[in-house]
Amino acid sequence: MDDLYLRLVLEGNVSKFSYFIEKYKNMAFSIAFRIVENREDAEEIVQDAFLKAFRSLEKFRRDAKFSTWLYRIVVNSALSRRRSKQPKPSMIDVDDAADAVVEDVESAYRHLAAVEQQQMIHQALNELNVEDRLLLTLYYLNENSVDEIAEITDITQGNIKMKLHRARTKMYSILHKNLKSEAGSLL
Amino acid sequence: MTTHSNIDDSTKDILKHSLLELTDPRFHETTMKKIMRVSRRRRLFDNIYLGSLIFIAIDTLIALALWMTHLNIVDVAFHFVNVPEKLIPPTEQLEKIILSNGFLQYSFLIFAVLMAALLFIESKFHGFEKPKQRGN
């Protein structure tokens, strides 16, 4: 479907670019927000990314997915925006969590209401460093493959697998800690 | 014991709540407006560029025709020149005729000015807009 709309836009039917905005805006926004941690900045980054994508559409190589290419633009823009502001230090250093923790967290998490689940996951992601947040978002939320993540982030595939494992472990540890303190009876 | 794929599924399940949505209802509209503006500017730039190329091509052809026919446009415009007589044998040096026509010089000058103006417009309007700074 993307290819069809891409062709239409390149043929001069510019209004068809609307399709890409509608389809990718929320995911692009989620990625940008996980990096810059600010809604306004993330919105501007996403808008700029769509403009950049449109301007460079003719240079887009069809061997990659449009979304991969767009997210790469978003990631690069967000990282440079973040660099231009005061960098935030990594907030937490968590030891490896055992499988038991994953199970505990999962079952406790299910007992929470949807809104609480949302708050809990946002809080946990905020406590992770940018790279961990980004990798978890791309792999688990957007379901990008390791190859695609490598293309988006410029991190080698081997490194991605290792970092993903660490990030996930950290996230579970944070969730475990937060669930314990906020809903102690559930754990 | 939790298997690797189970952990992946659980993590996906947990992280699906982390999807954020753009809350600005005008986001789509404003982005499309900017894209349409970029598109219009690009089309204008392309048309001017194409137009200047056609102009140069025609100009060069005219200059070439003058060179081949040994006609001096200044002479034709301001003095009486017997064109058939001029066309028969080359009595003047070709180089001198081309230089005195000044036509090529004129076209290159126009071209240089036009290209400089286009490059200026391109860098001013096609360059990425600096994002507005907003407070956190």
Side-chain angles (χ1 to χ4, degrees), chain A residues 18 30 39 44 55 103 140, chain B residues 2 8 21 28 42 132:
Chain A
S18 185
S30 294
R39 287 195 81 91
E44 281 182 7
R55 283 176 180 136
E103 283 170 353
Y140 290 110
Chain B
T2 315
D8 274 352
E21 287 186 10
H28 193 114
R42 183 182 285 171
K132 288 170 278 166

Side-chain angles (χ1 to χ4, degrees), chain A residues 26-38 41-43 45-46 74-75 78 134, chain B residues 20:
Chain A
N26 286 333
M27 194 59 221
F29 178 67
S30 294
I31 293 171
F33 183 84
R34 294 293 166 219
I35 297 173
V36 293
E37 300 168 74
N38 176 291
D41 283 350
E43 257 181 45
I45 286 162
V46 174
V74 172
V75 168
L134 179 62
Chain B
L20 296 164

Side-chain angles (χ1 to χ4, degrees), chain A residues 32-180:
Chain A
F33 183 84
R34 294 293 166 219
I35 297 173
V36 293
E37 300 168 74
N38 176 291
R39 287 195 81 91
E40 284 79 22
D41 283 350
E43 257 181 45
E44 281 182 7
I45 286 162
V46 174
Q47 192 168 72
D48 286 349
F50 278 120
L51 281 171
K52 283 180 192 175
F54 175 74
R55 283 176 180 136
S56 318
L57 214 54
E58 282 159 5
K59 294 178 203 157
F60 168 57
R61 292 176 288 116
R62 300 289 185 93
D63 51 348
K65 283 204 278 185
F66 176 84
S67 58
T68 307
W69 182 61
L70 176 73
Y71 297 151
R72 188 184 165 90
I73 298 173
V74 172
V75 168
N76 287 340
S77 306
L79 286 174
S80 60
R81 174 76 66 100
R82 190 185 164 86
R83 253 178 254 127
S84 69
K85 297 196 167 182
Q86 194 70 6
K88 288 193 178 179
S90 176
M91 303 196 53
I92 198 152
D93 187 20
V94 185
D95 293 335
D96 279 4
D99 285 343
V101 172
V102 177
E103 283 170 353
D104 287 351
V105 166
E106 200 193 347
S107 95
Y109 191 78
R110 283 187 201 285
H111 284 86
L112 297 171
V115 180
E116 289 172 320
Q117 286 181 337
Q118 232 171 1
Q119 282 173 349
M120 194 62 75
I121 189 64
H122 286 313
Q123 199 182 333
L125 286 173
N126 281 344
E127 288 184 46
L128 291 172
N129 66 37
V130 180
E131 196 174 71
D132 291 343
R133 278 201 295 260
L134 179 62
L135 292 178
L136 288 173
T137 302
L138 290 171
Y139 190 76
Y140 290 110
L141 180 64
N142 199 36
E143 301 192 13
N144 284 114
S145 66
V146 172
D147 285 3
E148 286 167 349
I149 297 175
E151 204 167 319
I152 294 169
T153 58
D154 266 344
I155 304 173
T156 60
Q157 293 180 8
N159 259 340
I160 289 171
K161 285 178 190 161
M162 189 185 70
K163 282 169 190 273
L164 262 174
H165 174 73
R166 275 195 204 154
R168 191 182 60 206
T169 309
K170 277 186 201 173
M171 187 191 78
Y172 276 109
S173 296
I174 295 165
L175 280 172
H176 187 257
K177 183 191 77 184
N178 293 351
L179 283 164
K180 216 173 184 177

